[in-house]
Amino acid sequence: MSAVVAFVGLGHMGGPMATNLVKAGHRVLGHDLVPDALAAAVTAGVEAAASATEAVADADVVVTMLPAGRHVLGLYDEILAAARPGTLFVDCSTIDVADARTAHKRAVTAGMRALDAPVSGGVVGAEAATLTFMAGGGEAEFAEARPLLEAMGRRVVHCGGPGAGQAAKICNNMILGVSMIAVSEAFVLGERLGLSHQALYDVASAASGQCWALTVNCPVPGPVPASPANRDYRPGFAAALMAKDLGLAADAARATGTDTELGRRAAELYAAYAEQVGAAEDFSGIVRTIRDRGEGSTA
Ligand code: NAD
């Protein structure tokens, strides 16, 4: 069934996601603070709203795709009173678990319904409608959002109650950040031991070292031709976004008294790396800083 969707945040991810909702036959009222982002979405069939408040007034569902928790909470404070009672608020941004739960509570207190539904799959997945959605909230809210999420993605997983989608997202990305560092350290150690990249790849990809960081996003050029290492580390998944997600995981670990020693160290390493390269490099480029840090002695 077609819905009226307010879509706020039409950046790298939100723009193509909103476009895919239009393609699926939904009426999408879009808003972004950046006029160029809004104009690009309008070209793709999104109807421009002069403000977020105007966008949500007639919406069945409000989708947000914003940089961080403070943006989501700030926007909710602005728009919750403008929506019709019972409107479903679906936040697809990657934000702190605690902020997601606060957003959920504020929405419910204002007479709305809410779901957190962060994504993985990057801009390529947003454009191709192949994202994975990790949802947190009630069964009924999930069931209602599901057709919309399926129009923007390939896999939709209900992870539990409010905040569970964000929890799944940061736990998964903590595995990814730590494993990318482990794979990179192994390649650099192998280099110093005279082992070719291909030889290590051929062994580890079919042995117990196998993981996505190795077999899909391989941090050295050669073994996996499509990995960002083969195009001078152009993203892919930007280092700055990995640093952000590991920071959220470290915050959640502190808040819950969890000793995620490797996750914490990965957050530090990615924060330092992202400070140098920002969004310009794929997160697998961290292999170069690992290589540069060592002395390279083969004695
Ligand atoms: P982006 O900066 O390209 O887009 C965010 C947009 O939100 C911007 O266009 C900005 O102008 C707009 N915005 C901010 N505050 C607003 C407000 N109050 N009202 C209206 N518009 C507002 O970021 P992105 O890459 O699209 O990422 C969005 C979210 O998705 C982030 O939380 C990010 O962590 C997450 N994410 C990104 C990727 C990726 O590969 N880019 C992958 C997975 C998850």
Side-chain angles (χ1 to χ4, degrees), residues 8-15 31-34 37 52 65-68 71 74-75 78 92-95 119-123 131 169 236-238 241 244-245:
V8 185
L10 299 163
H12 291 97
M13 296 292 290
H31 182 68
D32 196 291
L33 296 176
V34 175
M65 194 53 169
L66 301 171
H71 303 96
L75 184 78
E78 190 187 321
C92 296
S93 331
T94 302
I95 68 173
V119 305
S120 74
V123 176
L131 295 169
K169 164 87 185 171
F237 183 51
L241 288 171
K244 171 193 168 182
D245 292 357

PDB file of all heavy atoms in Angstrom, residues 8-15 31-34 37 52 65-68 71 74-75 78 92-95 119-123 131 169 236-238 241 244-245, ligand 1:
ATOM      1  N   VAL A   8      13.371  13.374   6.146  1.00  0.00           N
ATOM      2  CA  VAL A   8      14.208  14.511   6.550  1.00  0.00           C
ATOM      3  C   VAL A   8      15.665  14.062   6.642  1.00  0.00           C
ATOM      4  O   VAL A   8      15.985  13.123   7.372  1.00  0.00           O
ATOM      5  CB  VAL A   8      13.739  15.099   7.902  1.00  0.00           C
ATOM      6  CG1 VAL A   8      14.544  16.364   8.227  1.00  0.00           C
ATOM      7  CG2 VAL A   8      12.249  15.411   7.860  1.00  0.00           C
ATOM      8  N   GLY A   9      16.526  14.753   5.885  1.00  0.00           N
ATOM      9  CA  GLY A   9      17.939  14.389   5.786  1.00  0.00           C
ATOM     10  C   GLY A   9      18.175  13.683   4.468  1.00  0.00           C
ATOM     11  O   GLY A   9      18.084  12.464   4.372  1.00  0.00           O
ATOM     12  N   LEU A  10      18.451  14.488   3.425  1.00  0.00           N
ATOM     13  CA  LEU A  10      18.566  13.933   2.064  1.00  0.00           C
ATOM     14  C   LEU A  10      20.014  13.990   1.589  1.00  0.00           C
ATOM     15  O   LEU A  10      20.299  14.430   0.483  1.00  0.00           O
ATOM     16  CB  LEU A  10      17.641  14.723   1.121  1.00  0.00           C
ATOM     17  CG  LEU A  10      16.155  14.657   1.489  1.00  0.00           C
ATOM     18  CD1 LEU A  10      15.366  15.765   0.799  1.00  0.00           C
ATOM     19  CD2 LEU A  10      15.563  13.296   1.155  1.00  0.00           C
ATOM     20  N   GLY A  11      20.934  13.532   2.456  1.00  0.00           N
ATOM     21  CA  GLY A  11      22.361  13.567   2.124  1.00  0.00           C
ATOM     22  C   GLY A  11      22.780  12.362   1.302  1.00  0.00           C
ATOM     23  O   GLY A  11      22.003  11.823   0.512  1.00  0.00           O
ATOM     24  N   HIS A  12      24.029  11.916   1.510  1.00  0.00           N
ATOM     25  CA  HIS A  12      24.583  10.805   0.736  1.00  0.00           C
ATOM     26  C   HIS A  12      23.689   9.568   0.801  1.00  0.00           C
ATOM     27  O   HIS A  12      23.512   8.870  -0.193  1.00  0.00           O
ATOM     28  CB  HIS A  12      25.976  10.439   1.264  1.00  0.00           C
ATOM     29  CG  HIS A  12      26.989  11.494   0.990  1.00  0.00           C
ATOM     30  ND1 HIS A  12      27.343  12.451   1.909  1.00  0.00           N
ATOM     31  CD2 HIS A  12      27.715  11.743  -0.120  1.00  0.00           C
ATOM     32  CE1 HIS A  12      28.243  13.255   1.381  1.00  0.00           C
ATOM     33  NE2 HIS A  12      28.486  12.854   0.146  1.00  0.00           N
ATOM     34  N   MET A  13      23.172   9.285   1.979  1.00  0.00           N
ATOM     35  CA  MET A  13      22.336   8.094   2.161  1.00  0.00           C
ATOM     36  C   MET A  13      20.854   8.420   1.937  1.00  0.00           C
ATOM     37  O   MET A  13      20.148   7.709   1.222  1.00  0.00           O
ATOM     38  CB  MET A  13      22.517   7.552   3.582  1.00  0.00           C
ATOM     39  CG  MET A  13      23.919   7.062   3.903  1.00  0.00           C
ATOM     40  SD  MET A  13      24.386   5.586   2.989  1.00  0.00           S
ATOM     41  CE  MET A  13      23.342   4.354   3.727  1.00  0.00           C
ATOM     42  N   GLY A  14      20.383   9.476   2.605  1.00  0.00           N
ATOM     43  CA  GLY A  14      18.956   9.799   2.577  1.00  0.00           C
ATOM     44  C   GLY A  14      18.448  10.120   1.177  1.00  0.00           C
ATOM     45  O   GLY A  14      17.317   9.732   0.829  1.00  0.00           O
ATOM     46  N   GLY A  15      19.265  10.795   0.366  1.00  0.00           N
ATOM     47  CA  GLY A  15      18.829  11.153  -0.991  1.00  0.00           C
ATOM     48  C   GLY A  15      18.414   9.923  -1.790  1.00  0.00           C
ATOM     49  O   GLY A  15      17.260   9.804  -2.230  1.00  0.00           O
ATOM     50  N   HIS A  31      12.801  17.045   3.093  1.00  0.00           N
ATOM     51  CA  HIS A  31      13.404  18.297   3.560  1.00  0.00           C
ATOM     52  C   HIS A  31      14.854  18.065   3.946  1.00  0.00           C
ATOM     53  O   HIS A  31      15.216  17.029   4.495  1.00  0.00           O
ATOM     54  CB  HIS A  31      12.647  18.874   4.755  1.00  0.00           C
ATOM     55  CG  HIS A  31      13.237  20.177   5.207  1.00  0.00           C
ATOM     56  ND1 HIS A  31      13.181  21.328   4.435  1.00  0.00           N
ATOM     57  CD2 HIS A  31      13.951  20.503   6.308  1.00  0.00           C
ATOM     58  CE1 HIS A  31      13.816  22.303   5.057  1.00  0.00           C
ATOM     59  NE2 HIS A  31      14.289  21.831   6.194  1.00  0.00           N
ATOM     60  N   ASP A  32      15.690  19.043   3.625  1.00  0.00           N
ATOM     61  CA  ASP A  32      17.091  19.052   4.064  1.00  0.00           C
ATOM     62  C   ASP A  32      17.491  20.513   4.253  1.00  0.00           C
ATOM     63  O   ASP A  32      16.993  21.395   3.547  1.00  0.00           O
ATOM     64  CB  ASP A  32      18.004  18.379   3.016  1.00  0.00           C
ATOM     65  CG  ASP A  32      19.373  18.032   3.602  1.00  0.00           C
ATOM     66  OD1 ASP A  32      20.161  18.954   3.899  1.00  0.00           O
ATOM     67  OD2 ASP A  32      19.642  16.824   3.778  1.00  0.00           O
ATOM     68  N   LEU A  33      18.390  20.750   5.204  1.00  0.00           N
ATOM     69  CA  LEU A  33      18.854  22.119   5.450  1.00  0.00           C
ATOM     70  C   LEU A  33      19.692  22.632   4.289  1.00  0.00           C
ATOM     71  O   LEU A  33      19.815  23.836   4.087  1.00  0.00           O
ATOM     72  CB  LEU A  33      19.694  22.167   6.739  1.00  0.00           C
ATOM     73  CG  LEU A  33      18.959  21.823   8.042  1.00  0.00           C
ATOM     74  CD1 LEU A  33      19.941  21.819   9.212  1.00  0.00           C
ATOM     75  CD2 LEU A  33      17.824  22.803   8.301  1.00  0.00           C
ATOM     76  N   VAL A  34      20.296  21.693   3.530  1.00  0.00           N
ATOM     77  CA  VAL A  34      21.160  22.085   2.408  1.00  0.00           C
ATOM     78  C   VAL A  34      20.323  22.117   1.127  1.00  0.00           C
ATOM     79  O   VAL A  34      19.819  21.078   0.681  1.00  0.00           O
ATOM     80  CB  VAL A  34      22.335  21.085   2.261  1.00  0.00           C
ATOM     81  CG1 VAL A  34      23.165  21.388   1.032  1.00  0.00           C
ATOM     82  CG2 VAL A  34      23.188  21.093   3.518  1.00  0.00           C
ATOM     83  N   ALA A  37      20.985  19.497  -1.645  1.00  0.00           N
ATOM     84  CA  ALA A  37      20.559  18.122  -1.338  1.00  0.00           C
ATOM     85  C   ALA A  37      19.063  17.975  -1.621  1.00  0.00           C
ATOM     86  O   ALA A  37      18.617  16.975  -2.200  1.00  0.00           O
ATOM     87  CB  ALA A  37      20.860  17.796   0.130  1.00  0.00           C
ATOM     88  N   ALA A  52      10.866  21.024   7.876  1.00  0.00           N
ATOM     89  CA  ALA A  52      10.580  19.669   8.354  1.00  0.00           C
ATOM     90  C   ALA A  52       9.174  19.613   8.939  1.00  0.00           C
ATOM     91  O   ALA A  52       8.441  18.628   8.776  1.00  0.00           O
ATOM     92  CB  ALA A  52      11.617  19.265   9.392  1.00  0.00           C
ATOM     93  N   MET A  65      17.236  10.631   8.367  1.00  0.00           N
ATOM     94  CA  MET A  65      18.561  10.096   8.040  1.00  0.00           C
ATOM     95  C   MET A  65      19.556  11.221   8.262  1.00  0.00           C
ATOM     96  O   MET A  65      19.946  11.940   7.334  1.00  0.00           O
ATOM     97  CB  MET A  65      18.567   9.596   6.588  1.00  0.00           C
ATOM     98  CG  MET A  65      19.766   8.719   6.251  1.00  0.00           C
ATOM     99  SD  MET A  65      19.910   7.355   7.445  1.00  0.00           S
ATOM    100  CE  MET A  65      21.112   6.321   6.678  1.00  0.00           C
ATOM    101  N   LEU A  66      19.949  11.380   9.529  1.00  0.00           N
ATOM    102  CA  LEU A  66      20.712  12.554   9.971  1.00  0.00           C
ATOM    103  C   LEU A  66      22.082  12.149  10.525  1.00  0.00           C
ATOM    104  O   LEU A  66      22.309  10.981  10.821  1.00  0.00           O
ATOM    105  CB  LEU A  66      19.891  13.294  11.043  1.00  0.00           C
ATOM    106  CG  LEU A  66      18.505  13.772  10.578  1.00  0.00           C
ATOM    107  CD1 LEU A  66      17.687  14.285  11.758  1.00  0.00           C
ATOM    108  CD2 LEU A  66      18.624  14.842   9.498  1.00  0.00           C
ATOM    109  N   PRO A  67      22.981  13.129  10.676  1.00  0.00           N
ATOM    110  CA  PRO A  67      24.357  12.775  11.054  1.00  0.00           C
ATOM    111  C   PRO A  67      24.502  12.113  12.431  1.00  0.00           C
ATOM    112  O   PRO A  67      25.257  11.162  12.563  1.00  0.00           O
ATOM    113  CB  PRO A  67      25.090  14.122  11.018  1.00  0.00           C
ATOM    114  CG  PRO A  67      24.287  14.984  10.106  1.00  0.00           C
ATOM    115  CD  PRO A  67      22.858  14.549  10.303  1.00  0.00           C
ATOM    116  N   ALA A  68      23.843  12.616  13.463  1.00  0.00           N
ATOM    117  CA  ALA A  68      24.119  12.119  14.820  1.00  0.00           C
ATOM    118  C   ALA A  68      22.900  12.302  15.728  1.00  0.00           C
ATOM    119  O   ALA A  68      21.911  12.939  15.347  1.00  0.00           O
ATOM    120  CB  ALA A  68      25.322  12.861  15.399  1.00  0.00           C
ATOM    121  N   HIS A  71      21.228  15.702  16.297  1.00  0.00           N
ATOM    122  CA  HIS A  71      20.391  16.185  15.196  1.00  0.00           C
ATOM    123  C   HIS A  71      19.002  15.546  15.267  1.00  0.00           C
ATOM    124  O   HIS A  71      17.990  16.206  15.034  1.00  0.00           O
ATOM    125  CB  HIS A  71      21.021  15.858  13.841  1.00  0.00           C
ATOM    126  CG  HIS A  71      22.394  16.410  13.674  1.00  0.00           C
ATOM    127  ND1 HIS A  71      23.531  15.669  13.912  1.00  0.00           N
ATOM    128  CD2 HIS A  71      22.822  17.647  13.321  1.00  0.00           C
ATOM    129  CE1 HIS A  71      24.598  16.420  13.696  1.00  0.00           C
ATOM    130  NE2 HIS A  71      24.197  17.623  13.341  1.00  0.00           N
ATOM    131  N   GLY A  74      17.130  16.981  18.327  1.00  0.00           N
ATOM    132  CA  GLY A  74      16.773  18.377  18.037  1.00  0.00           C
ATOM    133  C   GLY A  74      15.602  18.450  17.072  1.00  0.00           C
ATOM    134  O   GLY A  74      14.648  19.216  17.269  1.00  0.00           O
ATOM    135  N   LEU A  75      15.657  17.612  16.042  1.00  0.00           N
ATOM    136  CA  LEU A  75      14.582  17.617  15.042  1.00  0.00           C
ATOM    137  C   LEU A  75      13.275  17.112  15.648  1.00  0.00           C
ATOM    138  O   LEU A  75      12.209  17.694  15.412  1.00  0.00           O
ATOM    139  CB  LEU A  75      14.977  16.746  13.839  1.00  0.00           C
ATOM    140  CG  LEU A  75      13.943  16.784  12.724  1.00  0.00           C
ATOM    141  CD1 LEU A  75      14.060  18.072  11.912  1.00  0.00           C
ATOM    142  CD2 LEU A  75      14.074  15.575  11.813  1.00  0.00           C
ATOM    143  N   GLU A  78      11.454  19.601  17.414  1.00  0.00           N
ATOM    144  CA  GLU A  78      10.863  20.598  16.505  1.00  0.00           C
ATOM    145  C   GLU A  78       9.582  20.059  15.848  1.00  0.00           C
ATOM    146  O   GLU A  78       8.612  20.792  15.675  1.00  0.00           O
ATOM    147  CB  GLU A  78      11.925  20.886  15.437  1.00  0.00           C
ATOM    148  CG  GLU A  78      11.669  22.031  14.507  1.00  0.00           C
ATOM    149  CD  GLU A  78      12.758  22.039  13.413  1.00  0.00           C
ATOM    150  OE1 GLU A  78      13.947  21.766  13.716  1.00  0.00           O
ATOM    151  OE2 GLU A  78      12.405  22.298  12.244  1.00  0.00           O
ATOM    152  N   CYS A  92      16.561   6.235  10.734  1.00  0.00           N
ATOM    153  CA  CYS A  92      17.542   5.349  10.078  1.00  0.00           C
ATOM    154  C   CYS A  92      18.979   5.806  10.308  1.00  0.00           C
ATOM    155  O   CYS A  92      19.915   5.145   9.852  1.00  0.00           O
ATOM    156  CB  CYS A  92      17.248   5.268   8.582  1.00  0.00           C
ATOM    157  SG  CYS A  92      15.665   4.505   8.221  1.00  0.00           S
ATOM    158  N   SER A  93      19.175   6.955  10.973  1.00  0.00           N
ATOM    159  CA  SER A  93      20.522   7.454  11.261  1.00  0.00           C
ATOM    160  C   SER A  93      21.242   6.478  12.188  1.00  0.00           C
ATOM    161  O   SER A  93      20.604   5.709  12.902  1.00  0.00           O
ATOM    162  CB  SER A  93      20.454   8.807  11.980  1.00  0.00           C
ATOM    163  OG  SER A  93      19.302   9.549  11.631  1.00  0.00           O
ATOM    164  N   THR A  94      22.583   6.522  12.181  1.00  0.00           N
ATOM    165  CA  THR A  94      23.344   5.767  13.183  1.00  0.00           C
ATOM    166  C   THR A  94      23.585   6.692  14.358  1.00  0.00           C
ATOM    167  O   THR A  94      24.282   7.709  14.221  1.00  0.00           O
ATOM    168  CB  THR A  94      24.706   5.314  12.613  1.00  0.00           C
ATOM    169  OG1 THR A  94      24.469   4.522  11.454  1.00  0.00           O
ATOM    170  CG2 THR A  94      25.464   4.484  13.634  1.00  0.00           C
ATOM    171  N   ILE A  95      22.987   6.368  15.513  1.00  0.00           N
ATOM    172  CA  ILE A  95      23.141   7.253  16.679  1.00  0.00           C
ATOM    173  C   ILE A  95      23.375   6.406  17.929  1.00  0.00           C
ATOM    174  O   ILE A  95      23.230   5.186  17.915  1.00  0.00           O
ATOM    175  CB  ILE A  95      21.914   8.200  16.864  1.00  0.00           C
ATOM    176  CG1 ILE A  95      20.658   7.420  17.263  1.00  0.00           C
ATOM    177  CG2 ILE A  95      21.656   8.992  15.585  1.00  0.00           C
ATOM    178  CD1 ILE A  95      19.472   8.320  17.632  1.00  0.00           C
ATOM    179  N   VAL A 119      21.193   1.407   9.259  1.00  0.00           N
ATOM    180  CA  VAL A 119      21.471   0.584   8.074  1.00  0.00           C
ATOM    181  C   VAL A 119      22.941   0.236   7.967  1.00  0.00           C
ATOM    182  O   VAL A 119      23.807   0.924   8.500  1.00  0.00           O
ATOM    183  CB  VAL A 119      21.069   1.332   6.777  1.00  0.00           C
ATOM    184  CG1 VAL A 119      19.623   1.776   6.852  1.00  0.00           C
ATOM    185  CG2 VAL A 119      21.976   2.529   6.503  1.00  0.00           C
ATOM    186  N   SER A 120      23.219  -0.821   7.215  1.00  0.00           N
ATOM    187  CA  SER A 120      24.576  -1.023   6.709  1.00  0.00           C
ATOM    188  C   SER A 120      24.459  -1.261   5.210  1.00  0.00           C
ATOM    189  O   SER A 120      23.393  -1.648   4.715  1.00  0.00           O
ATOM    190  CB  SER A 120      25.289  -2.164   7.428  1.00  0.00           C
ATOM    191  OG  SER A 120      24.774  -3.387   7.010  1.00  0.00           O
ATOM    192  N   GLY A 121      25.553  -0.998   4.515  1.00  0.00           N
ATOM    193  CA  GLY A 121      25.527  -1.169   3.053  1.00  0.00           C
ATOM    194  C   GLY A 121      26.017   0.067   2.317  1.00  0.00           C
ATOM    195  O   GLY A 121      26.251   0.005   1.115  1.00  0.00           O
ATOM    196  N   GLY A 122      26.153   1.192   3.030  1.00  0.00           N
ATOM    197  CA  GLY A 122      26.761   2.383   2.440  1.00  0.00           C
ATOM    198  C   GLY A 122      25.953   3.010   1.316  1.00  0.00           C
ATOM    199  O   GLY A 122      24.805   2.636   1.054  1.00  0.00           O
ATOM    200  N   VAL A 123      26.613   3.970   0.659  1.00  0.00           N
ATOM    201  CA  VAL A 123      25.935   4.734  -0.390  1.00  0.00           C
ATOM    202  C   VAL A 123      25.567   3.822  -1.568  1.00  0.00           C
ATOM    203  O   VAL A 123      24.486   3.956  -2.157  1.00  0.00           O
ATOM    204  CB  VAL A 123      26.833   5.905  -0.858  1.00  0.00           C
ATOM    205  CG1 VAL A 123      26.205   6.651  -2.021  1.00  0.00           C
ATOM    206  CG2 VAL A 123      27.100   6.864   0.301  1.00  0.00           C
ATOM    207  N   LEU A 131      20.307  -2.169   1.035  1.00  0.00           N
ATOM    208  CA  LEU A 131      20.739  -1.961   2.418  1.00  0.00           C
ATOM    209  C   LEU A 131      20.252  -3.090   3.323  1.00  0.00           C
ATOM    210  O   LEU A 131      19.259  -3.762   3.001  1.00  0.00           O
ATOM    211  CB  LEU A 131      20.170  -0.634   2.954  1.00  0.00           C
ATOM    212  CG  LEU A 131      20.673   0.645   2.280  1.00  0.00           C
ATOM    213  CD1 LEU A 131      19.835   1.840   2.735  1.00  0.00           C
ATOM    214  CD2 LEU A 131      22.148   0.876   2.613  1.00  0.00           C
ATOM    215  N   LYS A 169      23.751  -2.519  15.236  1.00  0.00           N
ATOM    216  CA  LYS A 169      24.622  -1.804  14.290  1.00  0.00           C
ATOM    217  C   LYS A 169      26.020  -1.579  14.891  1.00  0.00           C
ATOM    218  O   LYS A 169      27.034  -1.864  14.260  1.00  0.00           O
ATOM    219  CB  LYS A 169      23.951  -0.465  13.930  1.00  0.00           C
ATOM    220  CG  LYS A 169      24.842   0.559  13.271  1.00  0.00           C
ATOM    221  CD  LYS A 169      24.918   0.417  11.792  1.00  0.00           C
ATOM    222  CE  LYS A 169      25.918   1.405  11.203  1.00  0.00           C
ATOM    223  NZ  LYS A 169      26.192   1.171   9.810  1.00  0.00           N
ATOM    224  N   GLY A 236      33.871   3.032  -0.888  1.00  0.00           N
ATOM    225  CA  GLY A 236      33.757   2.272   0.312  1.00  0.00           C
ATOM    226  C   GLY A 236      33.092   2.920   1.541  1.00  0.00           C
ATOM    227  O   GLY A 236      32.216   3.752   1.460  1.00  0.00           O
ATOM    228  N   PHE A 237      33.532   2.417   2.629  1.00  0.00           N
ATOM    229  CA  PHE A 237      33.028   2.855   3.927  1.00  0.00           C
ATOM    230  C   PHE A 237      34.115   3.747   4.520  1.00  0.00           C
ATOM    231  O   PHE A 237      35.203   3.279   4.865  1.00  0.00           O
ATOM    232  CB  PHE A 237      32.731   1.626   4.795  1.00  0.00           C
ATOM    233  CG  PHE A 237      32.133   1.947   6.139  1.00  0.00           C
ATOM    234  CD1 PHE A 237      31.021   2.790   6.240  1.00  0.00           C
ATOM    235  CD2 PHE A 237      32.658   1.418   7.301  1.00  0.00           C
ATOM    236  CE1 PHE A 237      30.462   3.097   7.471  1.00  0.00           C
ATOM    237  CE2 PHE A 237      32.107   1.711   8.536  1.00  0.00           C
ATOM    238  CZ  PHE A 237      31.007   2.542   8.627  1.00  0.00           C
ATOM    239  N   ALA A 238      33.786   5.032   4.617  1.00  0.00           N
ATOM    240  CA  ALA A 238      34.802   6.025   4.973  1.00  0.00           C
ATOM    241  C   ALA A 238      35.356   5.806   6.384  1.00  0.00           C
ATOM    242  O   ALA A 238      34.621   5.423   7.310  1.00  0.00           O
ATOM    243  CB  ALA A 238      34.216   7.422   4.857  1.00  0.00           C
ATOM    244  N   LEU A 241      33.446   7.411   9.185  1.00  0.00           N
ATOM    245  CA  LEU A 241      32.229   6.742   9.655  1.00  0.00           C
ATOM    246  C   LEU A 241      32.571   5.566  10.571  1.00  0.00           C
ATOM    247  O   LEU A 241      31.883   5.315  11.560  1.00  0.00           O
ATOM    248  CB  LEU A 241      31.386   6.270   8.466  1.00  0.00           C
ATOM    249  CG  LEU A 241      30.685   7.412   7.705  1.00  0.00           C
ATOM    250  CD1 LEU A 241      30.061   6.889   6.420  1.00  0.00           C
ATOM    251  CD2 LEU A 241      29.629   8.082   8.573  1.00  0.00           C
ATOM    252  N   LYS A 244      33.391   7.033  13.855  1.00  0.00           N
ATOM    253  CA  LYS A 244      32.149   7.432  14.540  1.00  0.00           C
ATOM    254  C   LYS A 244      31.486   6.223  15.203  1.00  0.00           C
ATOM    255  O   LYS A 244      31.123   6.256  16.379  1.00  0.00           O
ATOM    256  CB  LYS A 244      31.192   8.064  13.526  1.00  0.00           C
ATOM    257  CG  LYS A 244      29.798   8.313  14.088  1.00  0.00           C
ATOM    258  CD  LYS A 244      28.770   8.643  13.017  1.00  0.00           C
ATOM    259  CE  LYS A 244      27.372   8.591  13.613  1.00  0.00           C
ATOM    260  NZ  LYS A 244      26.317   8.843  12.649  1.00  0.00           N
ATOM    261  N   ASP A 245      31.343   5.131  14.435  1.00  0.00           N
ATOM    262  CA  ASP A 245      30.620   3.962  14.950  1.00  0.00           C
ATOM    263  C   ASP A 245      31.382   3.304  16.106  1.00  0.00           C
ATOM    264  O   ASP A 245      30.777   2.857  17.085  1.00  0.00           O
ATOM    265  CB  ASP A 245      30.377   2.951  13.820  1.00  0.00           C
ATOM    266  CG  ASP A 245      29.395   3.495  12.788  1.00  0.00           C
ATOM    267  OD1 ASP A 245      28.870   4.611  12.996  1.00  0.00           O
ATOM    268  OD2 ASP A 245      29.137   2.808  11.776  1.00  0.00           O
TER     269      ASP A 245
HETATM  270  P1  NAD B   1      25.216  13.272   5.152  1.00  0.00           P
HETATM  271  O1  NAD B   1      25.941  14.275   5.974  1.00  0.00           O
HETATM  272  O2  NAD B   1      25.538  13.116   3.715  1.00  0.00           O
HETATM  273  O3  NAD B   1      23.626  13.560   5.250  1.00  0.00           O
HETATM  274  C1  NAD B   1      22.982  14.062   6.379  1.00  0.00           C
HETATM  275  C2  NAD B   1      22.025  15.148   5.902  1.00  0.00           C
HETATM  276  O4  NAD B   1      21.220  15.594   7.004  1.00  0.00           O
HETATM  277  C3  NAD B   1      22.742  16.395   5.359  1.00  0.00           C
HETATM  278  O5  NAD B   1      22.344  16.622   4.015  1.00  0.00           O
HETATM  279  C4  NAD B   1      22.300  17.513   6.306  1.00  0.00           C
HETATM  280  O6  NAD B   1      22.134  18.757   5.657  1.00  0.00           O
HETATM  281  C5  NAD B   1      20.968  16.979   6.790  1.00  0.00           C
HETATM  282  N1  NAD B   1      20.491  17.558   8.049  1.00  0.00           N
HETATM  283  C6  NAD B   1      21.153  17.666   9.230  1.00  0.00           C
HETATM  284  N2  NAD B   1      20.348  18.227  10.161  1.00  0.00           N
HETATM  285  C7  NAD B   1      19.149  18.460   9.554  1.00  0.00           C
HETATM  286  C8  NAD B   1      17.914  19.017   9.983  1.00  0.00           C
HETATM  287  N3  NAD B   1      17.730  19.439  11.238  1.00  0.00           N
HETATM  288  N4  NAD B   1      16.911  19.108   9.075  1.00  0.00           N
HETATM  289  C9  NAD B   1      17.087  18.691   7.803  1.00  0.00           C
HETATM  290  N5  NAD B   1      18.222  18.163   7.340  1.00  0.00           N
HETATM  291  C10 NAD B   1      19.244  18.047   8.206  1.00  0.00           C
HETATM  292  O7  NAD B   1      25.374  11.883   5.928  1.00  0.00           O
HETATM  293  P2  NAD B   1      25.111  10.403   5.336  1.00  0.00           P
HETATM  294  O8  NAD B   1      26.377   9.824   4.831  1.00  0.00           O
HETATM  295  O9  NAD B   1      23.889  10.455   4.467  1.00  0.00           O
HETATM  296  O10 NAD B   1      24.793   9.620   6.704  1.00  0.00           O
HETATM  297  C11 NAD B   1      23.548   9.765   7.365  1.00  0.00           C
HETATM  298  C12 NAD B   1      23.496   8.772   8.515  1.00  0.00           C
HETATM  299  O11 NAD B   1      23.656   7.455   8.002  1.00  0.00           O
HETATM  300  C13 NAD B   1      24.596   8.963   9.548  1.00  0.00           C
HETATM  301  O12 NAD B   1      24.055   8.751  10.821  1.00  0.00           O
HETATM  302  C14 NAD B   1      25.622   7.902   9.186  1.00  0.00           C
HETATM  303  O13 NAD B   1      26.401   7.472  10.287  1.00  0.00           O
HETATM  304  C15 NAD B   1      24.719   6.789   8.680  1.00  0.00           C
HETATM  305  N6  NAD B   1      25.367   5.863   7.733  1.00  0.00           N
HETATM  306  C16 NAD B   1      26.094   6.341   6.699  1.00  0.00           C
HETATM  307  C17 NAD B   1      26.698   5.454   5.809  1.00  0.00           C
HETATM  308  C18 NAD B   1      27.521   5.956   4.634  1.00  0.00           C
HETATM  309  O14 NAD B   1      28.216   5.138   3.999  1.00  0.00           O
HETATM  310  N7  NAD B   1      27.471   7.238   4.300  1.00  0.00           N
HETATM  311  C19 NAD B   1      26.548   4.076   5.993  1.00  0.00           C
HETATM  312  C20 NAD B   1      25.750   3.609   7.043  1.00  0.00           C
HETATM  313  C21 NAD B   1      25.171   4.521   7.928  1.00  0.00           C
END
